[in-house]
Amino acid sequence: MRGLYIQGTWVPSSSGEAVAVVNPATEEVLDQVPAGAADDVDRAVAAAREAFPAWSATPPADRGKVLELAAGLLRRRAEEIARVIATDSGAPLRMALRGQTLVPAGVLAEYARLAGERAAAEHRIGNSLVLREPVGVVGAITSWNYPLHQAVAKVAPALAAGCTVVLKPSEVAPLAAYALIDILHEAGLPAGVLNMVSGRGAIVGEAMAAHPGIDMISFTGSTVTGRRVAALAAPGVKRVTLELGGKSANIILPGADLAAAVHAGVADAFFHSGQTCSALTRMLVHRDRYDEAVAMAADAAAGYTLGDPFDPATRLGPLVSAAQRDRVVHYINRGHEEGARLIAGGGDRPLPRGYYVEPTVFAGVAPGMVIEQEEIFGPVLSLIPYTWTDEAVEIANGTPYGLSGAVWAASEQEAVAVARRLRTGQVSINGGRFNPSAPFGGYKQSGLGRELGEHGLEEYQETKSLQL
Ligand code: NDP
């Protein structure tokens, strides 16, 4: 069995128990990680507290040098780490390499730069000198869908800011976090600055959220668990950032290039088998062009090849676990019950083994249906007709979520005017692509705070003013 990483070394958990890691494409157990216990969290927090004074006092540019070295090591090991991600999360290999390994390497490199340029930025306001200081010990809890990206999006800015960290990866896909620890260790991160306790959310995650020695919790996962984490953190008045779920709308206005908008929208909804918090799972199309869009979406969905994540022909891998597959199948059944019209996919177990679900498209989805309101986290796209732009905006804003969205229009100006009315943290304009330096996060029940770039760094900083 692997170990826990505490005080710069690999140690066993006091529980002596293991969590099995399963390959979702084969349903076989591929590894085991320790099921951490509350006293393991105590040890990790003690190590992080002990390391904090020296690390926070290390010149920011020197902290940045460790991150720069780590970025280089990650790039060098990218192929191997992408294979790990493809194996334990089921992401198609090409996507695991580009989106899930090289993007985090870029994020590490960016925080290497920001550590030097921004971490200690000070400015004057009248007779005051305003300082930026690290928050302290950070508890980072991540989920399984982008396991390396999410860990890097928390650990890199925290370390750049001068914080020390206890990381808990998801028990479902924990292996990429081990690779990150190896890399930062090799890059020369001092002992205790980063610690990792694997194991179950209900034990390790809760112990971290409530721990008096942790100053800030940075969480990625479901809205339900995010609420629980925030409640546990409240008595200690910890800073909390939450990256939660979404139900993002893709508004296609009448003058848009319909074929481009539908193809890009389908690709976004099915990316990583729909297991992306910002996935554009609701496509809103003007009634005049709705039938055309439905036919295009059905055609596009039929062109997706399900299969082995290591096969270059595969566009859709399995869902991450049997539980996730069952959850998605439950929502597909709800769609039928509510009277939505299945125009593509809908089947589960399309392959003899692995947690696969066919890429699925529902037409005739009405605002208020369960499949229109709740996050499914699988390859399920809903097409919703609208008549007026105001109505489209109302439907887009009509869920408890507010993570992302997209607008397609004849001109950028027209799309931006609609995007300004969406209550979400990010909006793609006419296919504008993900920018890993731009702030990422949610309005409403999609979260608190922002990750990535300068905004992500600031989450890990306190502000102090000295009156001179
Ligand atoms: P969870 O919210 O259950 O888990 C996210 C992280 O929190 C994991 O590390 C998990 O550990 C941990 N955790 C679980 N319970 C607790 C707890 N009581 N206290 C503290 N930490 C806890 O999400 P899942 O990974 O199970 O996914 C479920 C749903 O969440 C998905 O179907 C999707 O709707 C949504 N989701 C949203 C994501 C996003 O990026 N916005 C990402 C992933 C999921 P462990 O893995 O051990 O349970």
Side-chain angles (χ1 to χ4, degrees):
M1 197 191 346
R2 290 166 184 256
L4 309 175
Y5 183 74
I6 298 175
Q7 191 69 41
T9 53
W10 294 102
V11 295
S13 164
S14 72
S15 79
E17 289 170 15
V19 181
V21 183
V22 175
N23 177 335
T26 63
E27 306 184 26
E28 287 162 0
V29 172
L30 70 106
D31 210 331
Q32 288 194 322
V33 298
D39 56 359
D40 295 324
V41 173
D42 290 341
R43 284 192 287 153
V45 173
R49 287 227 78 83
E50 198 184 318
F52 180 71
W55 183 248
S56 57
T58 299
D62 291 352
R63 298 197 295 256
K65 278 183 198 142
V66 176
L67 297 176
E68 184 60 52
L69 274 174
L73 289 168
L74 178 51
R75 285 200 185 98
R76 229 165 294 148
R77 289 180 55 185
E79 293 273 351
E80 166 216 333
I81 292 168
R83 297 181 83 79
V84 168
I85 294 171
T87 306
D88 79 351
S89 81
L93 184 59
R94 202 163 20 141
M95 187 274 257
L97 177 63
R98 285 195 203 146
Q100 299 223 43
T101 309
L102 296 177
V103 169
V107 171
L108 273 168
E110 177 163 24
Y111 280 112
R113 179 179 64 76
L114 287 171
E117 290 174 9
R118 303 277 315 157
E122 301 178 358
H123 65 285
R124 294 288 296 257
I125 299 177
N127 67 320
S128 299
L129 177 64
V130 181
L131 311 180
R132 292 271 180 194
E133 296 184 345
V135 165
V137 174
V138 173
I141 302 175
T142 54
S143 97
W144 40 260
N145 54 341
Y146 291 86
L148 184 61
H149 169 73
Q150 288 164 355
V152 167
K154 298 181 187 318
V155 169
L159 298 182
C163 297
T164 56
V165 180
V166 178
L167 170 66
K168 186 208 113 45
S170 165
E171 66 181 271
V172 181
L175 302 184
Y178 282 83
L180 178 64
I181 297 281
D182 280 346
I183 281 171
L184 282 159
H185 185 92
E186 195 180 334
L189 194 68
V193 171
L194 173 63
N195 307 272
M196 181 171 76
V197 182
S198 58
R200 304 196 187 284
I203 295 170
V204 178
E206 297 220 357
M208 285 169 60
H211 204 290
I214 287 184
D215 302 292
M216 169 179 174
I217 291 285
S218 174
F219 171 85
T220 297
S222 62
T223 298
V224 172
T225 308
R227 273 190 210 109
R228 172 81 183 140
V229 164
L232 288 168
V237 198
K238 289 184 180 41
R239 183 177 297 194
V240 175
T241 61
L242 303 172
E243 291 297 333
L244 307 176
K247 192 71 188 174
S248 299
N250 180 10
I251 300 180
I252 304 177
L253 293 170
D257 176 341
L258 188 68
V262 171
H263 278 91
V266 169
D268 186 280
F270 293 161
F271 192 70
H272 197 9
S273 296
Q275 302 169 118
T276 302
C277 49
S278 56
L280 301 170
T281 51
R282 297 182 297 151
M283 186 181 287
L284 277 56
V285 186
H286 193 274
R287 279 184 198 281
D288 287 351
R289 307 199 69 188
Y290 186 73
D291 290 344
E292 228 182 309
V294 166
M296 286 175 180
D299 264 7
Y304 277 74
T305 313
L306 286 176
D308 177 358
F310 287 87
D311 182 340
T314 294
R315 283 189 80 186
L316 240 64
L319 296 180
V320 77
S321 63
Q324 194 61 23
R325 188 258 327 269
D326 294 347
R327 176 191 155 100
V328 173
V329 170
H330 158 81
Y331 277 110
I332 293 174
N333 292 337
R334 281 306 294 262
H336 286 298
E337 286 160 22
E338 288 182 305
R341 187 159 49 91
L342 187 70
I343 58 159
D348 68 316
R349 296 181 171 79
L351 300 178
R353 58 181 195 162
Y355 308 126
Y356 292 89
V357 173
E358 285 179 350
T360 298
V361 183
F362 280 108
V365 176
M369 283 183 179
V370 169
I371 61 164
E372 194 269 338
Q373 286 286 307
E374 296 185 11
E375 185 178 50
I376 298 174
F377 234 59
V380 182
L381 172 65
S382 293
L383 267 77
I384 306 166
Y386 70 86
T387 305
W388 308 106
T389 302
D390 284 356
E391 182 191 357
V393 169
E394 194 177 323
I395 295 169
N397 287 335
T399 79
Y401 294 111
L403 188 55
S404 191
V407 184
W408 288 79
S411 71
E412 183 176 303
Q413 196 186 12
E414 188 190 0
V416 167
V418 172
R420 288 183 192 278
R421 299 172 64 191
L422 299 183
R423 302 287 299 160
T424 68
Q426 43 270 313
V427 184
S428 162
I429 303 296
N430 284 337
R433 63 180 199 287
F434 173 67
N435 174 359
S437 302
F440 183 93
Y443 285 25
K444 302 195 285 183
Q445 293 184 29
S446 287
L448 284 177
R450 294 293 178 268
E451 291 199 316
L452 301 175
E454 283 182 36
H455 292 79
L457 180 69
E458 286 168 11
E459 298 288 350
Y460 296 91
Q461 294 179 315
E462 289 282 11
T463 308
K464 177 185 280 178
S465 52
L466 308 183
Q467 277 59 249
L468 308 172

